[in-house]
Amino acid sequence: MTAGDAAPAGPGPADLVAGIGFRHATPAQDIIALVDRACDEAGLPRTRLARLATAADRAGEPAIRAVAEALGCSLAAVPPEALIAVDADVPTRSQRIEASRRVGSVAEAAALAAAGPGATLLLRRIASAGATCALALRAQSVTQEP
């Protein structure tokens, strides 16, 4: 599915969730650049971003908190059981992450879990040297008229 299949491009409601996976030493600027790249690849403006989501054990890290503040988004700390609950809808499979987290992709699982029931994954995980990012659309946005 492409971004255009689920939501109109251009200004719209803040209805996107960016799921983020990252290594401890990753600078906030690198994560922001990756989120910008994800929005560009999805063909959606960053103004549609409502929330960042990451694994609960990483949500207290200074870098991700700085990213949320810089982007003007709330930050969802997604517990392991919520990540695992959406794993069947996660298309990307990393053996390393599956072994440590029991999900194929932290970014995709966090985006889907934080976007809520019926969410649509708009952009599969993309990666930089120290982070991953995926975009999900909240379910109520899928059913709204443009």
Side-chain angles (χ1 to χ4, degrees), residues 17-24 26-28 30-39 41 52-55 58 64 67 83 90 92-94 96-97 101 103-111 121 123-135:
V17 176
I20 308 292
F22 64 99
R23 293 186 177 118
H24 289 291
T26 306
D30 291 359
I31 299 171
I32 292 169
L34 186 61
V35 170
D36 284 340
R37 191 175 115 211
C39 289
E41 287 189 23
L52 297 180
T54 195
R58 295 291 174 97
I64 195 70
V67 171
L83 295 172
V90 171
T92 302
R93 311 311 299 174
S94 163
R96 182 180 65 82
I97 296 302
R101 299 262 184 188
V103 297
S105 164
V106 169
E108 291 173 4
L121 189 65
L123 183 71
R124 286 180 168 205
R125 174 195 76 159
I126 62 171
S128 66
T132 59
C133 179
L135 297 177

mmCIF file of all heavy atoms in Angstrom, residues 17-24 26-28 30-39 41 52-55 58 64 67 83 90 92-94 96-97 101 103-111 121 123-135:
data_model
loop_
_atom_site.group_PDB
_atom_site.id
_atom_site.type_symbol
_atom_site.label_atom_id
_atom_site.label_comp_id
_atom_site.label_asym_id
_atom_site.label_seq_id
_atom_site.Cartn_x
_atom_site.Cartn_y
_atom_site.Cartn_z
ATOM 1 N N VAL A 17 1.625 8.374 13.291
ATOM 2 C CA VAL A 17 2.486 7.964 14.393
ATOM 3 C C VAL A 17 3.791 7.464 13.783
ATOM 4 O O VAL A 17 3.773 6.622 12.881
ATOM 5 C CB VAL A 17 1.844 6.855 15.247
ATOM 6 C CG1 VAL A 17 2.804 6.382 16.328
ATOM 7 C CG2 VAL A 17 0.535 7.343 15.850
ATOM 8 N N ALA A 18 4.895 8.004 14.257
ATOM 9 C CA ALA A 18 6.215 7.540 13.832
ATOM 10 C C ALA A 18 6.747 6.598 14.891
ATOM 11 O O ALA A 18 6.958 6.999 16.041
ATOM 12 C CB ALA A 18 7.172 8.709 13.632
ATOM 13 N N GLY A 19 6.934 5.353 14.507
ATOM 14 C CA GLY A 19 7.558 4.387 15.401
ATOM 15 C C GLY A 19 9.065 4.474 15.235
ATOM 16 O O GLY A 19 9.564 4.524 14.104
ATOM 17 N N ILE A 20 9.770 4.503 16.340
ATOM 18 C CA ILE A 20 11.224 4.690 16.318
ATOM 19 C C ILE A 20 11.913 3.575 17.101
ATOM 20 O O ILE A 20 11.562 3.292 18.238
ATOM 21 C CB ILE A 20 11.623 6.046 16.959
ATOM 22 C CG1 ILE A 20 10.862 7.212 16.350
ATOM 23 C CG2 ILE A 20 13.141 6.257 16.888
ATOM 24 C CD1 ILE A 20 11.190 7.532 14.917
ATOM 25 N N GLY A 21 12.903 2.983 16.469
ATOM 26 C CA GLY A 21 13.830 2.100 17.149
ATOM 27 C C GLY A 21 15.197 2.764 17.053
ATOM 28 O O GLY A 21 15.495 3.380 16.034
ATOM 29 N N PHE A 22 16.002 2.692 18.091
ATOM 30 C CA PHE A 22 17.295 3.387 18.027
ATOM 31 C C PHE A 22 18.294 2.795 19.006
ATOM 32 O O PHE A 22 17.929 2.230 20.022
ATOM 33 C CB PHE A 22 17.123 4.885 18.286
ATOM 34 C CG PHE A 22 16.617 5.226 19.664
ATOM 35 C CD1 PHE A 22 17.491 5.622 20.666
ATOM 36 C CD2 PHE A 22 15.263 5.151 19.959
ATOM 37 C CE1 PHE A 22 17.029 5.931 21.927
ATOM 38 C CE2 PHE A 22 14.785 5.458 21.213
ATOM 39 C CZ PHE A 22 15.668 5.858 22.207
ATOM 40 N N ARG A 23 19.555 2.968 18.659
ATOM 41 C CA ARG A 23 20.652 2.576 19.555
ATOM 42 C C ARG A 23 20.873 3.691 20.570
ATOM 43 O O ARG A 23 20.629 4.866 20.280
ATOM 44 C CB ARG A 23 21.921 2.334 18.738
ATOM 45 C CG ARG A 23 21.794 1.128 17.845
ATOM 46 C CD ARG A 23 23.123 0.814 17.143
ATOM 47 N NE ARG A 23 22.966 -0.396 16.361
ATOM 48 C CZ ARG A 23 23.097 -0.457 15.051
ATOM 49 N NH1 ARG A 23 23.416 0.612 14.358
ATOM 50 N NH2 ARG A 23 22.927 -1.606 14.425
ATOM 51 N N HIS A 24 21.395 3.327 21.721
ATOM 52 C CA HIS A 24 21.588 4.294 22.811
ATOM 53 C C HIS A 24 22.379 5.532 22.409
ATOM 54 O O HIS A 24 22.066 6.619 22.858
ATOM 55 C CB HIS A 24 22.270 3.623 24.010
ATOM 56 C CG HIS A 24 21.385 2.676 24.732
ATOM 57 N ND1 HIS A 24 20.305 3.081 25.474
ATOM 58 C CD2 HIS A 24 21.404 1.313 24.819
ATOM 59 C CE1 HIS A 24 19.705 2.024 25.993
ATOM 60 N NE2 HIS A 24 20.343 0.944 25.608
ATOM 61 N N THR A 26 22.612 7.116 19.578
ATOM 62 C CA THR A 26 22.124 7.850 18.407
ATOM 63 C C THR A 26 21.718 9.268 18.800
ATOM 64 O O THR A 26 20.872 9.457 19.676
ATOM 65 C CB THR A 26 20.920 7.126 17.775
ATOM 66 O OG1 THR A 26 21.292 5.779 17.500
ATOM 67 C CG2 THR A 26 20.476 7.808 16.496
ATOM 68 N N PRO A 27 22.291 10.283 18.143
ATOM 69 C CA PRO A 27 21.930 11.674 18.454
ATOM 70 C C PRO A 27 20.516 12.017 17.985
ATOM 71 O O PRO A 27 20.022 11.477 16.987
ATOM 72 C CB PRO A 27 22.948 12.508 17.668
ATOM 73 C CG PRO A 27 23.987 11.564 17.177
ATOM 74 C CD PRO A 27 23.384 10.201 17.173
ATOM 75 N N ALA A 28 19.882 12.922 18.703
ATOM 76 C CA ALA A 28 18.533 13.372 18.356
ATOM 77 C C ALA A 28 18.456 13.876 16.917
ATOM 78 O O ALA A 28 17.487 13.588 16.203
ATOM 79 C CB ALA A 28 18.079 14.463 19.323
ATOM 80 N N ASP A 30 20.005 12.918 14.307
ATOM 81 C CA ASP A 30 19.943 11.799 13.368
ATOM 82 C C ASP A 30 18.530 11.215 13.303
ATOM 83 O O ASP A 30 18.049 10.838 12.232
ATOM 84 C CB ASP A 30 20.932 10.700 13.753
ATOM 85 C CG ASP A 30 22.384 11.116 13.557
ATOM 86 O OD1 ASP A 30 22.648 12.251 13.110
ATOM 87 O OD2 ASP A 30 23.263 10.281 13.860
ATOM 88 N N ILE A 31 17.860 11.130 14.444
ATOM 89 C CA ILE A 31 16.494 10.598 14.481
ATOM 90 C C ILE A 31 15.543 11.574 13.794
ATOM 91 O O ILE A 31 14.668 11.154 13.018
ATOM 92 C CB ILE A 31 16.056 10.293 15.924
ATOM 93 C CG1 ILE A 31 16.987 9.234 16.539
ATOM 94 C CG2 ILE A 31 14.595 9.829 15.961
ATOM 95 C CD1 ILE A 31 16.791 9.014 18.036
ATOM 96 N N ILE A 32 15.714 12.868 14.030
ATOM 97 C CA ILE A 32 14.873 13.871 13.367
ATOM 98 C C ILE A 32 15.040 13.785 11.854
ATOM 99 O O ILE A 32 14.056 13.819 11.107
ATOM 100 C CB ILE A 32 15.191 15.290 13.888
ATOM 101 C CG1 ILE A 32 14.746 15.427 15.343
ATOM 102 C CG2 ILE A 32 14.528 16.357 13.009
ATOM 103 C CD1 ILE A 32 15.237 16.678 16.039
ATOM 104 N N ALA A 33 16.272 13.660 11.393
ATOM 105 C CA ALA A 33 16.517 13.546 9.948
ATOM 106 C C ALA A 33 15.839 12.300 9.382
ATOM 107 O O ALA A 33 15.290 12.324 8.270
ATOM 108 C CB ALA A 33 18.021 13.510 9.665
ATOM 109 N N LEU A 34 15.832 11.207 10.135
ATOM 110 C CA LEU A 34 15.191 9.979 9.684
ATOM 111 C C LEU A 34 13.673 10.142 9.633
ATOM 112 O O LEU A 34 13.023 9.681 8.686
ATOM 113 C CB LEU A 34 15.586 8.811 10.588
ATOM 114 C CG LEU A 34 15.111 7.430 10.145
ATOM 115 C CD1 LEU A 34 15.694 7.056 8.769
ATOM 116 C CD2 LEU A 34 15.483 6.391 11.181
ATOM 117 N N VAL A 35 13.084 10.816 10.614
ATOM 118 C CA VAL A 35 11.642 11.080 10.606
ATOM 119 C C VAL A 35 11.282 11.948 9.402
ATOM 120 O O VAL A 35 10.296 11.684 8.702
ATOM 121 C CB VAL A 35 11.185 11.736 11.926
ATOM 122 C CG1 VAL A 35 9.739 12.222 11.824
ATOM 123 C CG2 VAL A 35 11.346 10.761 13.093
ATOM 124 N N ASP A 36 12.086 12.957 9.136
ATOM 125 C CA ASP A 36 11.853 13.800 7.955
ATOM 126 C C ASP A 36 11.911 12.972 6.677
ATOM 127 O O ASP A 36 11.073 13.125 5.778
ATOM 128 C CB ASP A 36 12.874 14.938 7.881
ATOM 129 C CG ASP A 36 12.587 16.060 8.854
ATOM 130 O OD1 ASP A 36 11.428 16.176 9.318
ATOM 131 O OD2 ASP A 36 13.519 16.839 9.142
ATOM 132 N N ARG A 37 12.898 12.093 6.586
ATOM 133 C CA ARG A 37 13.027 11.230 5.413
ATOM 134 C C ARG A 37 11.810 10.315 5.272
ATOM 135 O O ARG A 37 11.298 10.104 4.171
ATOM 136 C CB ARG A 37 14.310 10.406 5.502
ATOM 137 C CG ARG A 37 14.648 9.696 4.200
ATOM 138 C CD ARG A 37 15.995 8.989 4.312
ATOM 139 N NE ARG A 37 15.736 7.567 4.200
ATOM 140 C CZ ARG A 37 16.423 6.612 4.760
ATOM 141 N NH1 ARG A 37 17.461 6.899 5.535
ATOM 142 N NH2 ARG A 37 16.103 5.362 4.605
ATOM 143 N N ALA A 38 11.335 9.775 6.384
ATOM 144 C CA ALA A 38 10.158 8.902 6.356
ATOM 145 C C ALA A 38 8.933 9.654 5.846
ATOM 146 O O ALA A 38 8.195 9.143 4.987
ATOM 147 C CB ALA A 38 9.900 8.329 7.748
ATOM 148 N N CYS A 39 8.722 10.857 6.341
ATOM 149 C CA CYS A 39 7.579 11.661 5.877
ATOM 150 C C CYS A 39 7.717 11.966 4.389
ATOM 151 O O CYS A 39 6.731 11.871 3.640
ATOM 152 C CB CYS A 39 7.453 12.942 6.691
ATOM 153 S SG CYS A 39 6.897 12.668 8.389
ATOM 154 N N GLU A 41 9.327 10.154 2.146
ATOM 155 C CA GLU A 41 9.101 8.915 1.392
ATOM 156 C C GLU A 41 7.623 8.545 1.339
ATOM 157 O O GLU A 41 7.159 7.958 0.364
ATOM 158 C CB GLU A 41 9.928 7.765 1.973
ATOM 159 C CG GLU A 41 11.403 7.908 1.656
ATOM 160 C CD GLU A 41 12.228 6.684 2.027
ATOM 161 O OE1 GLU A 41 11.673 5.574 2.118
ATOM 162 O OE2 GLU A 41 13.452 6.862 2.209
ATOM 163 N N LEU A 52 5.237 10.254 18.495
ATOM 164 C CA LEU A 52 6.349 9.332 18.322
ATOM 165 C C LEU A 52 6.090 8.160 19.255
ATOM 166 O O LEU A 52 5.476 8.326 20.309
ATOM 167 C CB LEU A 52 7.675 9.973 18.715
ATOM 168 C CG LEU A 52 8.170 11.169 17.927
ATOM 169 C CD1 LEU A 52 9.501 11.629 18.487
ATOM 170 C CD2 LEU A 52 8.288 10.845 16.465
ATOM 171 N N ALA A 53 6.564 6.999 18.874
ATOM 172 C CA ALA A 53 6.406 5.823 19.724
ATOM 173 C C ALA A 53 7.685 5.010 19.685
ATOM 174 O O ALA A 53 8.318 4.868 18.643
ATOM 175 C CB ALA A 53 5.241 4.982 19.222
ATOM 176 N N THR A 54 8.057 4.484 20.831
ATOM 177 C CA THR A 54 9.233 3.623 20.923
ATOM 178 C C THR A 54 9.017 2.624 22.044
ATOM 179 O O THR A 54 8.052 2.726 22.815
ATOM 180 C CB THR A 54 10.521 4.458 21.138
ATOM 181 O OG1 THR A 54 11.655 3.635 20.864
ATOM 182 C CG2 THR A 54 10.603 5.048 22.533
ATOM 183 N N ALA A 55 9.899 1.662 22.135
ATOM 184 C CA ALA A 55 9.824 0.670 23.202
ATOM 185 C C ALA A 55 9.919 1.380 24.554
ATOM 186 O O ALA A 55 10.686 2.340 24.719
ATOM 187 C CB ALA A 55 10.957 -0.342 23.047
ATOM 188 N N ARG A 58 13.130 2.425 26.202
ATOM 189 C CA ARG A 58 13.933 3.464 25.544
ATOM 190 C C ARG A 58 13.293 4.852 25.650
ATOM 191 O O ARG A 58 13.911 5.855 25.312
ATOM 192 C CB ARG A 58 14.129 3.142 24.057
ATOM 193 C CG ARG A 58 14.945 1.889 23.786
ATOM 194 C CD ARG A 58 16.398 2.123 24.188
ATOM 195 N NE ARG A 58 17.187 0.919 24.073
ATOM 196 C CZ ARG A 58 17.947 0.615 23.040
ATOM 197 N NH1 ARG A 58 18.011 1.404 22.000
ATOM 198 N NH2 ARG A 58 18.638 -0.502 23.050
ATOM 199 N N ILE A 64 15.471 10.607 22.442
ATOM 200 C CA ILE A 64 14.106 10.474 21.934
ATOM 201 C C ILE A 64 13.192 11.524 22.554
ATOM 202 O O ILE A 64 12.287 12.031 21.906
ATOM 203 C CB ILE A 64 13.562 9.025 22.113
ATOM 204 C CG1 ILE A 64 12.309 8.799 21.250
ATOM 205 C CG2 ILE A 64 13.284 8.706 23.557
ATOM 206 C CD1 ILE A 64 12.563 8.754 19.771
ATOM 207 N N VAL A 67 13.810 14.608 20.590
ATOM 208 C CA VAL A 67 13.159 14.519 19.275
ATOM 209 C C VAL A 67 11.682 14.878 19.407
ATOM 210 O O VAL A 67 11.155 15.677 18.635
ATOM 211 C CB VAL A 67 13.334 13.118 18.656
ATOM 212 C CG1 VAL A 67 12.475 12.961 17.400
ATOM 213 C CG2 VAL A 67 14.794 12.854 18.341
ATOM 214 N N LEU A 83 3.885 -4.327 21.983
ATOM 215 C CA LEU A 83 4.673 -4.556 20.757
ATOM 216 C C LEU A 83 4.405 -5.961 20.223
ATOM 217 O O LEU A 83 4.136 -6.151 19.029
ATOM 218 C CB LEU A 83 6.164 -4.377 21.030
ATOM 219 C CG LEU A 83 6.654 -2.987 21.423
ATOM 220 C CD1 LEU A 83 8.120 -3.041 21.843
ATOM 221 C CD2 LEU A 83 6.455 -1.992 20.301
ATOM 222 N N VAL A 90 3.358 -6.862 11.513
ATOM 223 C CA VAL A 90 4.666 -6.276 11.227
ATOM 224 C C VAL A 90 5.313 -7.051 10.080
ATOM 225 O O VAL A 90 5.657 -8.216 10.243
ATOM 226 C CB VAL A 90 5.562 -6.318 12.493
ATOM 227 C CG1 VAL A 90 6.994 -5.932 12.180
ATOM 228 C CG2 VAL A 90 4.984 -5.415 13.569
ATOM 229 N N THR A 92 8.266 -6.433 8.401
ATOM 230 C CA THR A 92 9.727 -6.529 8.393
ATOM 231 C C THR A 92 10.173 -7.482 9.491
ATOM 232 O O THR A 92 9.672 -7.430 10.611
ATOM 233 C CB THR A 92 10.357 -5.141 8.596
ATOM 234 O OG1 THR A 92 9.895 -4.283 7.565
ATOM 235 C CG2 THR A 92 11.870 -5.212 8.556
ATOM 236 N N ARG A 93 11.125 -8.343 9.177
ATOM 237 C CA ARG A 93 11.612 -9.330 10.128
ATOM 238 C C ARG A 93 13.121 -9.199 10.281
ATOM 239 O O ARG A 93 13.866 -9.476 9.363
ATOM 240 C CB ARG A 93 11.293 -10.765 9.688
ATOM 241 C CG ARG A 93 9.875 -11.071 9.261
ATOM 242 C CD ARG A 93 8.775 -10.616 10.152
ATOM 243 N NE ARG A 93 8.771 -11.159 11.490
ATOM 244 C CZ ARG A 93 7.907 -10.741 12.400
ATOM 245 N NH1 ARG A 93 7.003 -9.822 12.125
ATOM 246 N NH2 ARG A 93 7.939 -11.241 13.604
ATOM 247 N N SER A 94 13.558 -8.743 11.436
ATOM 248 C CA SER A 94 14.979 -8.699 11.777
ATOM 249 C C SER A 94 15.235 -9.828 12.776
ATOM 250 O O SER A 94 14.644 -9.834 13.858
ATOM 251 C CB SER A 94 15.336 -7.353 12.408
ATOM 252 O OG SER A 94 16.577 -7.431 13.076
ATOM 253 N N ARG A 96 17.803 -10.365 14.608
ATOM 254 C CA ARG A 96 18.401 -9.838 15.837
ATOM 255 C C ARG A 96 17.329 -9.255 16.756
ATOM 256 O O ARG A 96 17.305 -9.523 17.955
ATOM 257 C CB ARG A 96 19.450 -8.768 15.497
ATOM 258 C CG ARG A 96 20.174 -8.199 16.707
ATOM 259 C CD ARG A 96 21.201 -7.151 16.310
ATOM 260 N NE ARG A 96 20.621 -5.966 15.714
ATOM 261 C CZ ARG A 96 20.104 -4.957 16.422
ATOM 262 N NH1 ARG A 96 20.079 -4.995 17.734
ATOM 263 N NH2 ARG A 96 19.610 -3.907 15.801
ATOM 264 N N ILE A 97 16.423 -8.485 16.189
ATOM 265 C CA ILE A 97 15.357 -7.868 16.989
ATOM 266 C C ILE A 97 14.353 -8.921 17.454
ATOM 267 O O ILE A 97 13.879 -8.876 18.587
ATOM 268 C CB ILE A 97 14.673 -6.728 16.199
ATOM 269 C CG1 ILE A 97 15.676 -5.601 15.932
ATOM 270 C CG2 ILE A 97 13.447 -6.197 16.926
ATOM 271 C CD1 ILE A 97 16.306 -4.996 17.177
ATOM 272 N N ARG A 101 13.648 -8.910 21.205
ATOM 273 C CA ARG A 101 12.397 -8.207 21.527
ATOM 274 C C ARG A 101 11.124 -8.991 21.226
ATOM 275 O O ARG A 101 10.035 -8.543 21.539
ATOM 276 C CB ARG A 101 12.330 -6.888 20.739
ATOM 277 C CG ARG A 101 13.448 -5.924 21.040
ATOM 278 C CD ARG A 101 13.008 -4.933 22.012
ATOM 279 N NE ARG A 101 14.025 -3.926 22.260
ATOM 280 C CZ ARG A 101 13.891 -3.039 23.203
ATOM 281 N NH1 ARG A 101 12.810 -3.003 23.934
ATOM 282 N NH2 ARG A 101 14.847 -2.162 23.410
ATOM 283 N N VAL A 103 9.711 -9.295 18.389
ATOM 284 C CA VAL A 103 8.977 -8.647 17.296
ATOM 285 C C VAL A 103 9.925 -8.503 16.117
ATOM 286 O O VAL A 103 11.138 -8.469 16.301
ATOM 287 C CB VAL A 103 8.406 -7.259 17.676
ATOM 288 C CG1 VAL A 103 7.381 -7.377 18.785
ATOM 289 C CG2 VAL A 103 9.483 -6.280 18.058
ATOM 290 N N GLY A 104 9.369 -8.423 14.917
ATOM 291 C CA GLY A 104 10.211 -8.304 13.734
ATOM 292 C C GLY A 104 10.870 -6.954 13.585
ATOM 293 O O GLY A 104 11.988 -6.842 13.096
ATOM 294 N N SER A 105 10.180 -5.901 14.014
ATOM 295 C CA SER A 105 10.691 -4.540 13.901
ATOM 296 C C SER A 105 10.113 -3.696 15.032
ATOM 297 O O SER A 105 8.887 -3.579 15.148
ATOM 298 C CB SER A 105 10.281 -3.928 12.557
ATOM 299 O OG SER A 105 10.435 -2.517 12.558
ATOM 300 N N VAL A 106 10.971 -3.108 15.843
ATOM 301 C CA VAL A 106 10.508 -2.224 16.919
ATOM 302 C C VAL A 106 9.785 -1.020 16.323
ATOM 303 O O VAL A 106 8.720 -0.629 16.806
ATOM 304 C CB VAL A 106 11.673 -1.770 17.818
ATOM 305 C CG1 VAL A 106 11.239 -0.656 18.769
ATOM 306 C CG2 VAL A 106 12.236 -2.944 18.596
ATOM 307 N N ALA A 107 10.338 -0.433 15.274
ATOM 308 C CA ALA A 107 9.734 0.770 14.684
ATOM 309 C C ALA A 107 8.321 0.490 14.185
ATOM 310 O O ALA A 107 7.383 1.245 14.479
ATOM 311 C CB ALA A 107 10.610 1.310 13.556
ATOM 312 N N GLU A 108 8.149 -0.589 13.434
ATOM 313 C CA GLU A 108 6.827 -0.910 12.894
ATOM 314 C C GLU A 108 5.839 -1.287 13.999
ATOM 315 O O GLU A 108 4.697 -0.818 14.007
ATOM 316 C CB GLU A 108 6.935 -2.046 11.872
ATOM 317 C CG GLU A 108 7.648 -1.611 10.610
ATOM 318 C CD GLU A 108 7.938 -2.736 9.641
ATOM 319 O OE1 GLU A 108 7.536 -3.899 9.880
ATOM 320 O OE2 GLU A 108 8.585 -2.449 8.620
ATOM 321 N N ALA A 109 6.284 -2.110 14.937
ATOM 322 C CA ALA A 109 5.398 -2.516 16.032
ATOM 323 C C ALA A 109 5.010 -1.327 16.905
ATOM 324 O O ALA A 109 3.846 -1.181 17.290
ATOM 325 C CB ALA A 109 6.065 -3.607 16.875
ATOM 326 N N ALA A 110 5.960 -0.456 17.209
ATOM 327 C CA ALA A 110 5.658 0.718 18.032
ATOM 328 C C ALA A 110 4.677 1.647 17.325
ATOM 329 O O ALA A 110 3.732 2.152 17.945
ATOM 330 C CB ALA A 110 6.942 1.466 18.379
ATOM 331 N N ALA A 111 4.884 1.869 16.030
ATOM 332 C CA ALA A 111 3.972 2.739 15.265
ATOM 333 C C ALA A 111 2.560 2.173 15.282
ATOM 334 O O ALA A 111 1.588 2.892 15.555
ATOM 335 C CB ALA A 111 4.477 2.910 13.840
ATOM 336 N N LEU A 121 -0.189 0.560 8.514
ATOM 337 C CA LEU A 121 1.229 0.868 8.347
ATOM 338 C C LEU A 121 1.396 1.523 6.976
ATOM 339 O O LEU A 121 1.160 0.902 5.949
ATOM 340 C CB LEU A 121 2.064 -0.410 8.451
ATOM 341 C CG LEU A 121 3.574 -0.216 8.507
ATOM 342 C CD1 LEU A 121 3.988 0.521 9.787
ATOM 343 C CD2 LEU A 121 4.276 -1.560 8.436
ATOM 344 N N LEU A 123 4.290 3.315 6.011
ATOM 345 C CA LEU A 123 5.678 3.220 5.559
ATOM 346 C C LEU A 123 6.391 2.186 6.403
ATOM 347 O O LEU A 123 6.477 2.328 7.627
ATOM 348 C CB LEU A 123 6.393 4.570 5.677
ATOM 349 C CG LEU A 123 7.832 4.600 5.169
ATOM 350 C CD1 LEU A 123 7.872 4.502 3.639
ATOM 351 C CD2 LEU A 123 8.544 5.861 5.629
ATOM 352 N N ARG A 124 6.874 1.145 5.741
ATOM 353 C CA ARG A 124 7.678 0.144 6.433
ATOM 354 C C ARG A 124 8.931 0.793 6.989
ATOM 355 O O ARG A 124 9.347 1.865 6.533
ATOM 356 C CB ARG A 124 8.090 -0.962 5.470
ATOM 357 C CG ARG A 124 6.997 -1.901 5.108
ATOM 358 C CD ARG A 124 7.552 -2.935 4.156
ATOM 359 N NE ARG A 124 6.623 -4.030 3.974
ATOM 360 C CZ ARG A 124 6.990 -5.242 3.622
ATOM 361 N NH1 ARG A 124 8.265 -5.527 3.398
ATOM 362 N NH2 ARG A 124 6.091 -6.178 3.468
ATOM 363 N N ARG A 125 9.551 0.105 7.875
ATOM 364 C CA ARG A 125 10.770 0.580 8.528
ATOM 365 C C ARG A 125 11.811 1.018 7.507
ATOM 366 O O ARG A 125 12.106 0.309 6.547
ATOM 367 C CB ARG A 125 11.315 -0.571 9.374
ATOM 368 C CG ARG A 125 12.651 -0.282 10.000
ATOM 369 C CD ARG A 125 13.253 -1.549 10.495
ATOM 370 N NE ARG A 125 13.759 -2.291 9.342
ATOM 371 C CZ ARG A 125 14.681 -3.222 9.405
ATOM 372 N NH1 ARG A 125 15.179 -3.583 10.553
ATOM 373 N NH2 ARG A 125 15.099 -3.829 8.324
ATOM 374 N N ILE A 126 12.336 2.206 7.726
ATOM 375 C CA ILE A 126 13.528 2.661 7.012
ATOM 376 C C ILE A 126 14.609 2.828 8.067
ATOM 377 O O ILE A 126 14.308 2.966 9.254
ATOM 378 C CB ILE A 126 13.299 3.956 6.204
ATOM 379 C CG1 ILE A 126 12.911 5.129 7.120
ATOM 380 C CG2 ILE A 126 12.258 3.730 5.105
ATOM 381 C CD1 ILE A 126 12.879 6.480 6.405
ATOM 382 N N ALA A 127 15.864 2.809 7.651
ATOM 383 C CA ALA A 127 16.947 2.814 8.634
ATOM 384 C C ALA A 127 18.022 3.831 8.305
ATOM 385 O O ALA A 127 18.264 4.163 7.147
ATOM 386 C CB ALA A 127 17.565 1.425 8.714
ATOM 387 N N SER A 128 18.654 4.296 9.371
ATOM 388 C CA SER A 128 19.883 5.081 9.278
ATOM 389 C C SER A 128 20.933 4.275 10.040
ATOM 390 O O SER A 128 20.676 3.151 10.453
ATOM 391 C CB SER A 128 19.674 6.467 9.902
ATOM 392 O OG SER A 128 19.453 6.356 11.295
ATOM 393 N N ALA A 129 22.071 4.853 10.269
ATOM 394 C CA ALA A 129 23.143 4.132 10.965
ATOM 395 C C ALA A 129 22.740 3.716 12.376
ATOM 396 O O ALA A 129 23.119 2.651 12.843
ATOM 397 C CB ALA A 129 24.407 4.975 11.011
ATOM 398 N N GLY A 130 21.940 4.539 13.068
ATOM 399 C CA GLY A 130 21.633 4.231 14.456
ATOM 400 C C GLY A 130 20.162 4.157 14.807
ATOM 401 O O GLY A 130 19.815 4.008 15.976
ATOM 402 N N ALA A 131 19.269 4.272 13.816
ATOM 403 C CA ALA A 131 17.841 4.296 14.133
ATOM 404 C C ALA A 131 17.012 3.702 12.999
ATOM 405 O O ALA A 131 17.486 3.560 11.870
ATOM 406 C CB ALA A 131 17.396 5.727 14.408
ATOM 407 N N THR A 132 15.774 3.368 13.343
ATOM 408 C CA THR A 132 14.784 2.946 12.357
ATOM 409 C C THR A 132 13.520 3.758 12.584
ATOM 410 O O THR A 132 13.251 4.217 13.701
ATOM 411 C CB THR A 132 14.463 1.440 12.464
ATOM 412 O OG1 THR A 132 13.976 1.155 13.777
ATOM 413 C CG2 THR A 132 15.688 0.588 12.154
ATOM 414 N N CYS A 133 12.727 3.918 11.527
ATOM 415 C CA CYS A 133 11.491 4.679 11.622
ATOM 416 C C CYS A 133 10.457 4.050 10.702
ATOM 417 O O CYS A 133 10.768 3.670 9.571
ATOM 418 C CB CYS A 133 11.728 6.138 11.223
ATOM 419 S SG CYS A 133 10.240 7.178 11.284
ATOM 420 N N ALA A 134 9.235 3.935 11.176
ATOM 421 C CA ALA A 134 8.092 3.482 10.387
ATOM 422 C C ALA A 134 6.930 4.420 10.681
ATOM 423 O O ALA A 134 6.870 5.024 11.759
ATOM 424 C CB ALA A 134 7.716 2.052 10.759
ATOM 425 N N LEU A 135 6.008 4.550 9.743
ATOM 426 C CA LEU A 135 4.858 5.436 9.923
ATOM 427 C C LEU A 135 3.558 4.641 9.876
ATOM 428 O O LEU A 135 3.370 3.797 8.997
ATOM 429 C CB LEU A 135 4.809 6.497 8.824
ATOM 430 C CG LEU A 135 5.963 7.475 8.755
ATOM 431 C CD1 LEU A 135 5.787 8.408 7.564
ATOM 432 C CD2 LEU A 135 6.077 8.278 10.047
#
